[in-house]
């Protein structure tokens, strides 16, 4: 296999290129350490003359990070309006939040054309391309249309809905046709795989779909938690709790995370189990994301109101039931807090995977582990049946689970934690990327058969020459004008 080409909407920030902090950067760390890699994506910058600006490149170890700019219109319509205003709510079953316009849809495809035009001149015939997430559903077909014949894989990190929900999207057939051009499509859960296959079948499309759940690096995260638990920052936070037990929730601000429902579940605990009043503190860390989107602004207002109401109803001069912050807390501090927490509270209404649940388990003290209360709608739930599984729409059910978790004896806690830690250790970030790439490698590219490959490659050479991508230069990068 030649180079690995990773394509994502954004590349890792410069600081994460040497110190992976989470998510996709951690998930792909092992893969990019073992082979020459080009990681391609949007720079995060908008400029009116973006089309005339060259790509930027930074070599870090085995990885060449190559980025390009978008215009403000492309950012607004492709990223905010369509990717996050249409596809995100659709895939999370929140169809009431979809705000579709034809102009935004056109801009989404136009932006993917920009990705394809900028990327194709950087590719070599034996490269393996791995595209990531919903921002880039059509990119595989666009690369095929430009003569790319090598293996193309795609991984969807968020859920995919069934046909009954997905059919609400105008031009769904066009989106699925673009996705079907990839040789292998990975999703998080068997349910997502079934849903996506069902949609392909409706349109008579053939595509290889495989459930490959993503994991974390449990060894390094566990070590980070052990070291951080005794750090000055964590000790200071724990001292402010004044001996109360800790329930911990960590999510970015998003309506898919079940945050209002979580608050109501904790409120039901205080109402139905008054023995926990003054004895437990709920710390919710919720960094604001997409603050310019109306639905997120309204969500923040709702959470602010709920926290104030609950604290006002149950708090005392020496006890605040809910500690709530929208400021981000460093990953190393969160690791230490997970280790100190008695309960991890993870309640998404729908989630692709939810790595917070896996990080909480990895961080625990095996001699005195905490309890995981987990939504059955998280992608992690099928892998973690030993958690206290709840429905986030059932406040009383969440209260019951929290009470069980707070009163569970150490033997029961250890048995549940041990089973989940074994699973988290088995299915890691490294095994996820290896499983997907091994499966992709085993597939004969459907667009590059023994008889058509020479002609396809000739077509690619002619295409690149016609577009003016081949040139000499000290940078070694093709022209992107």
């Amino acid at each position: 296999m030649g180079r690995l080409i990773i394509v994502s909407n954004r590349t890792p920030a410069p600081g994460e290129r040497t110190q992976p902090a989470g998510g996709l950067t951690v998930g792909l760390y092992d893969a990019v350490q073992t082979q020459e890699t080009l990681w391609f994506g949007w720079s995060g910058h908008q400029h009116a003359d973006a089309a005339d600006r060259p790509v930027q490149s930074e070599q870090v170890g085995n990885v060449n990070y190559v980025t390009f700019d978008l215009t403000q219109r492309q950012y607004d319509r492709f990223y905010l309006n369509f990717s996050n205003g249409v596809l995100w709510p659709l895939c999370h079953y929140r169809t009431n939040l979809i705000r579709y316009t034809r102009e935004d849809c056109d801009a989404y495809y136009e932006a993917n054309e920009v990705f394809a035009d900028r990327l194709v001149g950087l590719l070599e015939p034996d490269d393996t391309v791995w595209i990531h997430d919903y921002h880039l559903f059509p990119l595989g077909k666009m690369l095929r249309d430009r003569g790319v014949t090598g293996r193309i894989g795609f991984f969807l990190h968020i859920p995919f809905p069934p046909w009954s929900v997905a059919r609400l999207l105008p031009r769904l057939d066009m989106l699925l046709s673009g996705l079907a051009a990839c040789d292998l499509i990975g999703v998080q859960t068997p349910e997502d795989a079934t849903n996506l296959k069902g949609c392909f079948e409706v349109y008579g499309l053939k595509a290889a779909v495989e459930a490959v759940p993503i994991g974390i690096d449990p060894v390094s995260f566990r070590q980070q938690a052990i070291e951080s638990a005794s750090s000055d920052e964590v000790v200071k936070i724990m001292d402010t709790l004044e001996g109360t037990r800790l329930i911990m929730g960590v999510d970015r601000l998003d309506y898919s995370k079940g945050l209002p429902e979580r608050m109501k579940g904790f409120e039901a605990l205080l109402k139905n189990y008054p023995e926990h009043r003054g004895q437990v503190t709920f710390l919710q860390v919720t960094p604001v994301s997409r603050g310019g989107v109306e639905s997120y602004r309204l969500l923040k207002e709702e959470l602010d109101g709920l926290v104030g109401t609950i604290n006002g109803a149950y708090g005392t001069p020496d006890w605040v039931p809910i500690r709530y912050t929208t400021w981000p807390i460093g990953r190393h501090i969160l690791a230490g807090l997970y280790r100190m927490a008695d309960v991890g509270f993870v309640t998404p209404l729908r989630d692709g995977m939810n790595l917070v649940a896996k990080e909480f388990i990895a961080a625990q003290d095996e001699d005195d582990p905490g309890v995981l209360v987990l939504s059955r709608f998280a992608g992690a739930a099928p892998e973690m049946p030993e958690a206290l599984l709840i429905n986030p729409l059932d406040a009383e059910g969440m209260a019951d689970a929290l009470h069980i978790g707070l009163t569970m004896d150490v033997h029961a806690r250890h048995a549940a934690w041990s089973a989940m830690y074994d699973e988290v250790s088995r299915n890691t970030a490294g095994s996820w990327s290896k499983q997907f790439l091994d499966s992709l490698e085993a597939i004969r590219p459907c667009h590059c058969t023994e008889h058509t490959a020479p002609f396809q490659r000739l077509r690619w050479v002619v295409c690149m020459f016609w577009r003016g991508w081949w040139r000499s230069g000290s940078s070694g990068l093709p022209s992107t004008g």
Side-chain angles (χ1 to χ4, degrees):
M1 185 169 71
R3 298 181 304 170
L4 174 62
I5 311 298
I6 298 169
V7 190
S8 55
N9 176 58
R10 290 288 302 274
T11 64
E16 279 198 79
R17 294 174 182 180
T18 54
Q19 296 290 332
L24 188 59
T25 311
V26 171
L28 292 172
Y29 182 77
D30 285 358
V32 303
Q33 294 302 308
T34 58
Q35 62 190 113
E36 184 183 358
T37 302
L38 187 152
W39 196 325
F40 179 84
W42 169 45
S43 66
H45 302 299
Q46 297 90 250
H47 296 283
D49 61 344
D52 299 322
R53 289 174 172 256
V55 297
Q56 301 92 48
S57 175
E58 181 188 18
Q59 187 75 34
V60 180
N62 293 331
V63 187
N64 185 17
Y65 295 93
V66 179
T67 60
F68 67 97
D69 302 327
L70 293 174
T71 66
Q72 187 64 48
R73 176 186 177 276
Q74 288 168 338
Y75 169 77
D76 290 342
R77 291 190 174 274
F78 151 70
Y79 179 74
L80 291 180
N81 294 3
F82 196 80
S83 293
N84 292 320
V86 176
L87 294 178
W88 180 270
L90 177 78
C91 289
H92 287 87
Y93 299 59
R94 296 298 300 272
T95 57
N96 61 309
L97 298 176
I98 293 174
R99 299 293 181 265
Y100 176 91
T101 70
R102 178 65 66 88
E103 291 79 9
D104 291 338
C105 183
D106 289 343
Y108 175 79
Y109 282 91
E110 289 167 8
N112 271 266
E113 295 276 5
V114 173
F115 270 82
D117 286 339
R118 292 279 193 165
L119 175 61
V120 71
L122 306 176
L123 298 179
E124 299 171 1
D126 58 348
D127 287 338
T128 293
V129 179
W130 192 2
I131 303 166
H132 289 268
D133 236 355
Y134 59 103
H135 312 84
L136 304 174
F137 276 133
L139 184 58
K141 183 177 186 301
M142 292 177 180
L143 292 176
R144 296 297 186 203
D145 291 342
R146 287 158 175 76
V148 176
T149 58
R151 291 179 176 83
I152 299 179
F154 183 98
F155 193 87
L156 181 63
H157 293 263
I158 66 175
F160 196 88
W163 162 246
S164 59
V165 175
R167 65 189 297 190
L168 294 173
L169 179 68
R171 301 179 175 179
L172 176 62
D173 56 338
M174 183 176 174
L175 184 143
L176 292 173
S177 295
L179 187 57
C182 299
D183 296 296
L184 177 64
I185 302 160
V187 292
Q188 298 279 20
T189 69
E191 180 182 358
D192 295 327
T194 298
N195 291 345
L196 183 54
K197 289 176 183 178
C199 291
F200 281 135
E201 289 171 2
V202 168
Y203 292 106
L205 296 169
K206 294 183 178 180
V209 181
E210 182 177 338
V212 190
I214 194 170
I216 64 171
D217 181 350
V219 175
S220 65
F221 192 83
R222 182 173 182 78
Q223 185 59 39
Q224 188 176 48
I226 292 171
E227 295 171 357
S228 178
S230 59
S231 67
D232 291 342
E233 298 96 331
V234 172
V235 170
K236 182 178 179 179
I237 293 172
M238 294 303 298
D239 285 345
T240 68
L241 302 183
E242 297 183 339
T244 61
R245 305 181 72 187
L246 176 61
I247 297 174
M248 183 100 182
V250 178
D251 311 83
R252 66 180 179 82
L253 184 69
D254 191 277
Y255 49 75
S256 69
K257 302 300 183 181
L259 295 169
E261 292 77 10
R262 188 178 309 174
M263 297 297 177
K264 294 171 185 177
F266 181 71
E267 180 182 26
L269 172 74
L270 301 181
K271 176 183 177 182
N272 298 345
Y273 298 94
E275 62 267 34
H276 295 299
R277 297 177 192 175
Q279 303 302 311
V280 65
T281 300
F282 174 27
L283 172 60
Q284 177 63 48
V285 180
T286 307
V288 174
S289 68
R290 304 169 189 167
V293 179
E294 178 69 6
S295 58
Y296 290 82
R297 184 183 66 78
L298 294 174
L299 174 61
K300 184 178 183 302
E301 290 181 1
E302 181 182 6
L303 287 174
D304 291 348
L306 280 170
V307 171
T309 298
I310 296 168
N311 282 342
Y314 293 96
T316 63
D318 60 348
W319 173 61
V320 179
I322 301 176
R323 302 283 187 88
Y324 166 65
T325 178
T326 57
W327 287 95
I329 294 179
R331 180 177 170 82
H332 67 289
I333 299 176
L334 290 176
L337 290 172
Y338 288 152
R339 188 170 180 85
M340 303 303 294
D342 295 276
V343 176
F345 202 11
V346 183
T347 64
L349 299 173
R350 182 68 60 172
D351 225 339
M353 176 50 60
N354 197 294
L355 297 180
V356 169
K358 296 187 175 185
E359 290 175 345
F360 178 82
I361 292 300
Q364 293 308 297
D365 180 348
E366 64 179 315
D367 294 326
D368 187 22
V371 174
L372 177 63
V373 175
L374 177 64
S375 167
R376 60 180 70 254
F377 305 124
E383 298 180 78
M384 309 175 88
E386 298 82 9
L388 297 179
L389 298 178
I390 53 89
N391 184 328
L393 299 181
D394 180 7
E396 282 70 27
M398 284 191 283
D400 294 341
L402 290 172
H403 174 69
I404 292 171
L406 290 167
T407 57
M408 187 181 295
D409 68 67
V410 66
H411 299 293
R413 285 188 279 117
H414 185 272
W417 170 81
S418 179
M420 288 186 282
Y421 185 71
D422 286 347
E423 176 61 24
V424 169
S425 299
R426 184 191 66 82
N427 183 30
T428 66
S431 66
W432 165 75
S433 59
K434 184 177 188 304
Q435 181 182 345
F436 183 91
L437 290 173
D438 284 351
S439 295
L440 181 59
E441 177 71 15
I443 292 176
R444 185 179 182 85
C446 60
H447 299 269
C448 184
T449 66
E450 179 180 353
H451 301 292
T452 62
F455 302 101
Q456 289 279 14
R457 295 187 185 216
L458 177 61
R459 178 190 172 199
W460 186 14
V461 171
V462 173
C463 176
M464 287 193 293
F465 179 80
W466 177 73
R467 290 178 179 270
W469 275 314
W470 281 9
R471 68 173 178 86
S472 60
S474 60
S475 68
L477 284 172
S479 169
T480 56

